[in-house]
Amino acid sequence: MAAEQPIPVYTDLSDLYGSLGTSLNHAEKWNSIAEEFQRRFGRKPAYIARAPGRVNLIGEHIDYCLFGVLPAAIERDILIAIGRRPNPNAEDAPGSVVAENVQTKYTRQVFAPAPRRRASVSEEEVRLEEWHLDINTKQLRWESYVKAGYYGVLINYFAGGQNPASVDLLVTGTVPAGSGLSSSAAMVVASTLAFLAVNEKLEANFTGNGPKISKGQLVEMAVANEKRVGVNSGGMDQAASVISVPSSALYISFFPELSASAVPLPTGAIFIIANSLVVSDKAVTAKHNYNLRVVETLAAARILARHLELKVEKTEKVTLREVVGRLAGEVEEVGAMPVEWLLETLKRMEREIECLKPKKSSGEGQFGVTMEEMIEMSGMTAEEFKEVYLSWVEVEATQFQLYKRAKHVFSEASRVLQFRQICLAAESSPSPSDVIKDLGKLMNESQTSCDELFQCSCPELNELTNIAKDAGAIGSRLTGAGWGGCTVSLVAEGDVDAFIKKVSATYGPYKGLQDTALSEVIFATKPSSGACVYKFE
Ligand code: NG1
Ligand code: MG
């Protein structure tokens, strides 16, 4: 399985460019970051780590409920050039970092991890137990993502008195920030990889012990690392950024464990990304939107499990996917049930979730419950509930929309499975236009569900998806967390130019944009390969 493979490390540039599986001119970008590093730090970098952004074709806000999703890596990526500082000053703390960014608005940052000492250990035997890096989760800061990647490397590889290398690094990237294309995960994956590489933790032959770190292990580290920036995300973005392969989407499932398989996309289907130009700074707004949705879906799972009389430990944060599994006595260690069974059970779940509506409805279509009602429905005491569901995350709300969120999750999970089945069947299908129509329909239903039930769209995203459909898209939806950022539209190959022209003439914020500026906000994308490292010799 793809997740078990080692991270590719290239020493030959033509192998590297070949692996990226795209027609873009990568050479210019890779050469220019190496030259820029040399100019700034006076020597060649030792490594360049690359991690791509991703577009999610379908399956929004269900990864943290452990349902499968269907993203693809895009050609746009983050590159981090890194090298050890040859003569660290005496004042340099161990593992200190000088981080620069090619984009001038992201200013130079210097930081070092602080070793935490165990209080109970006497001064003579002071042992470095764990490292600490201050990450500001209240403000959106570019270096937070660099630090987040470093953090995981520190605590996993530098316990017990070893010192990490002092390094200089330079970041460049073409994934627009706050746009739902996962620049954050690309940053965290690239940073994790860069620090692994420069500390010689990537290849077994550097240290002589243990197997090479696998793609799956890198995903796990990157997911944990990204949580340090303050968003309790699922694992979709990091998995897509690490495991993707050229020309296919990636079906990623998280239950009973992380697994990924390529899903070929039908010929003639082009996916076009269009940026609404509404920036969504999830790190800052998470308590009202993203993290709140995580809590709402977890609370819904707890109440649903109670209604179905399933066993859930008091302190356990059972997910909606696990509830489905437990209902059927699915054995988690053995693996998931067949797709047909899952599709059937998801339908049943869409009926069972009536139990998430408030006892006394406050009006037609108003399905929200108060904190007190939610706690009562969970069967837990207020203290227990707050400890399990609210103590680890900051959320702010007076109403919790458990019914709507669960309805979105179950129906979206089912759309992902259908989308995948259609793509797999299309490999031998005689009628590609029907295939594209069916996929487009699922994408449109996903958009409606994101907007009305999960409430993660916004007026501009609704407008842009409608414009896209009027301009000939067969399906169009938001991609990524939403509340701004990008849309993805499915367009038949022959219609791409006309589509882009129409959308750019109609969507207000695109007026006046031309050439490069326009191709920055609306562009066709080909599925690209996942993260890798180039090693200078
Ligand atoms: P983006 O679009 O990167 O903000 C987020 C989460 C995903 C997933 C999607 C919604 C992060 C890093 N990623 O993506 O895990 O839940 O939203 O489907 O927060
Ligand atoms: Mg993100």
Side-chain angles (χ1 to χ4, degrees):
M1 204 239 325
E4 278 140 25
Q5 291 166 1
I7 308 295
V9 179
Y10 296 97
T11 50
D12 181 296
L13 279 172
S14 53
D15 288 351
L16 168 75
Y17 300 147
S19 78
L20 298 177
T22 68
S23 50
L24 291 187
N25 180 6
H26 291 283
E28 202 179 308
K29 206 163 67 180
W30 287 70
N31 285 336
S32 101
I33 187 171
E35 280 163 19
E36 190 58 25
F37 185 98
Q38 169 106 38
R39 204 179 61 74
R40 294 182 185 217
F41 299 112
R43 64 185 191 284
K44 272 202 319 200
Y47 298 90
I48 297 177
R50 164 190 192 258
R54 62 99 187 93
V55 56
N56 191 18
L57 302 182
I58 197 156
E60 226 59 84
H61 287 279
I62 61 172
D63 59 346
Y64 48 83
C65 307
L66 302 189
F67 280 108
V69 293
L70 237 164
I74 57 173
E75 293 158 306
R76 293 177 179 232
D77 52 18
I78 302 283
L79 300 183
I80 301 184
I82 193 165
R84 286 174 182 243
R85 212 166 304 134
N87 308 303
N89 294 330
E91 315 84 78
D92 271 354
S96 67
V97 177
V98 174
E100 297 201 8
N101 197 308
V102 169
Q103 267 183 279
T104 44
K105 67 173 173 185
Y106 301 129
T107 56
R108 177 178 208 261
Q109 301 291 324
V110 181
F111 54 86
R116 261 190 197 150
R117 285 155 202 260
R118 212 197 308 193
S120 59
V121 177
S122 70
E123 204 50 48
E124 299 83 72
E125 344 158 45
V126 163
R127 198 172 69 84
L128 303 181
E129 177 160 88
E130 188 179 271
W131 296 84
H132 179 74
L133 264 176
D134 264 333
I135 298 181
N136 186 337
T137 55
K138 301 274 176 266
Q139 259 178 35
L140 191 69
R141 300 198 55 91
W142 81 270
E143 75 279 9
S144 293
Y145 297 93
V146 176
K147 288 180 175 175
Y150 192 12
Y151 213 120
V153 176
L154 286 168
I155 62 170
N156 284 298
Y157 290 89
F158 289 96
Q162 248 190 311
N163 278 342
S166 291
V167 302
D168 297 321
L169 65 83
L170 178 63
V171 178
T172 188
T174 48
V175 194
S179 67
L181 299 179
S182 243
S183 61
S184 61
M187 278 288 283
V188 172
V189 168
S191 162
T192 309
L193 259 183
F195 283 101
L196 282 170
V198 80
N199 284 294
E200 304 185 352
K201 304 295 181 193
L202 203 53
E203 289 190 280
N205 55 9
F206 285 149
T207 56
N209 53 42
K212 292 187 182 188
I213 171 172
S214 69
K215 293 181 179 178
Q217 287 166 327
L218 176 60
V219 172
E220 270 169 38
M221 272 180 87
V223 172
N225 283 340
E226 185 147 358
K227 290 201 167 88
R228 300 181 212 284
V229 189
V231 180
N232 287 281
S233 61
M236 160 165 74
D237 304 349
Q238 301 81 0
S241 183
V242 173
I243 310 176
S244 285
V245 290
S247 322
S248 300
L250 198 67
Y251 175 69
I252 307 169
S253 66
F254 305 94
F255 181 88
E257 60 187 11
L258 176 74
S259 73
S261 58
V263 176
L265 293 169
T267 40
I270 304 290
F271 291 91
I272 298 189
I273 293 173
N275 194 333
S276 69
L277 294 175
V278 175
V279 174
S280 157
D281 290 341
K282 198 152 42 64
V284 181
T285 56
K287 66 178 171 195
H288 304 290
N289 53 41
Y290 195 91
N291 286 347
L292 176 60
R293 296 293 182 275
V294 175
V295 170
E296 285 173 321
T297 58
L298 285 172
R302 161 74 62 170
I303 295 164
L304 187 58
R306 182 175 186 228
H307 161 78
L308 296 168
E309 298 177 355
L310 301 171
K311 188 166 165 34
V312 180
E313 299 300 331
K314 269 269 145 72
T315 55
E316 188 185 8
K317 289 202 276 287
V318 71
T319 59
L320 286 168
R321 176 64 184 85
E322 287 162 317
V323 170
V324 168
R326 277 176 214 190
L327 182 64
E330 191 180 30
V331 183
E332 297 180 13
E333 298 79 52
V334 173
M337 302 285 274
V339 175
E340 293 67 30
W341 171 85
L342 193 49
L343 282 167
E344 266 316 299
T345 315
L346 288 169
K347 261 194 225 145
R348 174 176 166 195
M349 287 296 163
E350 287 191 56
R351 297 191 298 272
E352 300 286 1
I353 54 177
E354 289 295 315
C355 71
L356 300 172
K357 289 182 178 170
K359 301 242 162 46
K360 311 181 275 299
S361 180
S362 46
E364 196 52 35
Q366 297 298 309
F367 300 129
V369 294
T370 62
M371 175 78 83
E372 290 68 35
E373 284 173 301
M374 176 163 72
I375 294 174
E376 200 203 316
M377 290 158 85
S378 75
M380 299 165 90
T381 66
E383 222 169 53
E384 287 164 350
F385 187 93
K386 286 183 181 163
E387 177 57 31
V388 177
Y389 292 106
L390 300 166
S391 63
W392 49 280
V393 66
E394 203 188 333
V395 298
E396 255 180 47
T398 48
Q399 292 278 306
F400 297 82
Q401 297 288 346
L402 309 182
Y403 171 78
K404 286 188 184 179
R405 309 308 182 228
K407 194 167 166 67
H408 165 77
V409 170
F410 288 132
S411 62
E412 185 77 354
S414 159
R415 283 186 287 272
V416 171
L417 295 172
Q418 294 172 56
F419 196 101
R420 173 169 173 257
Q421 279 181 322
I422 294 170
C423 290
L424 293 175
E427 280 190 289
S428 51
S429 160
S431 168
S433 71
D434 281 355
V435 168
I436 294 185
K437 240 188 251 153
D438 292 346
L439 296 180
K441 184 164 173 276
L442 290 168
M443 290 174 70
N444 292 335
E445 288 169 4
S446 168
Q447 172 60 24
T448 306
S449 183
C450 282
D451 181 32
E452 294 174 3
L453 297 173
F454 217 73
Q455 296 177 292
C456 61
S457 190
C458 66
E460 294 83 353
L461 284 169
N462 290 345
E463 186 193 350
L464 191 49
T465 50
N466 286 332
I467 290 176
K469 283 183 273 181
D470 290 344
I474 303 143
S476 186
R477 55 182 298 280
L478 65 86
T479 184
W483 298 290
C486 287
T487 59
V488 56
S489 301
L490 172 55
V491 177
E493 203 164 14
D495 300 340
V496 168
D497 291 343
F499 170 82
I500 293 187
K501 222 168 158 188
K502 274 194 204 146
V503 174
S504 14
T506 321
Y507 186 56
Y510 290 177
K511 296 237 164 83
L513 295 182
Q514 272 170 354
D515 308 327
T516 325
L518 191 60
S519 66
E520 280 297 304
V521 296
I522 179 165
F523 51 90
T525 188
K526 276 205 201 130
S528 123
S529 58
C532 68
V533 171
Y534 178 73
K535 181 179 183 214
F536 289 81
E537 289 192 316

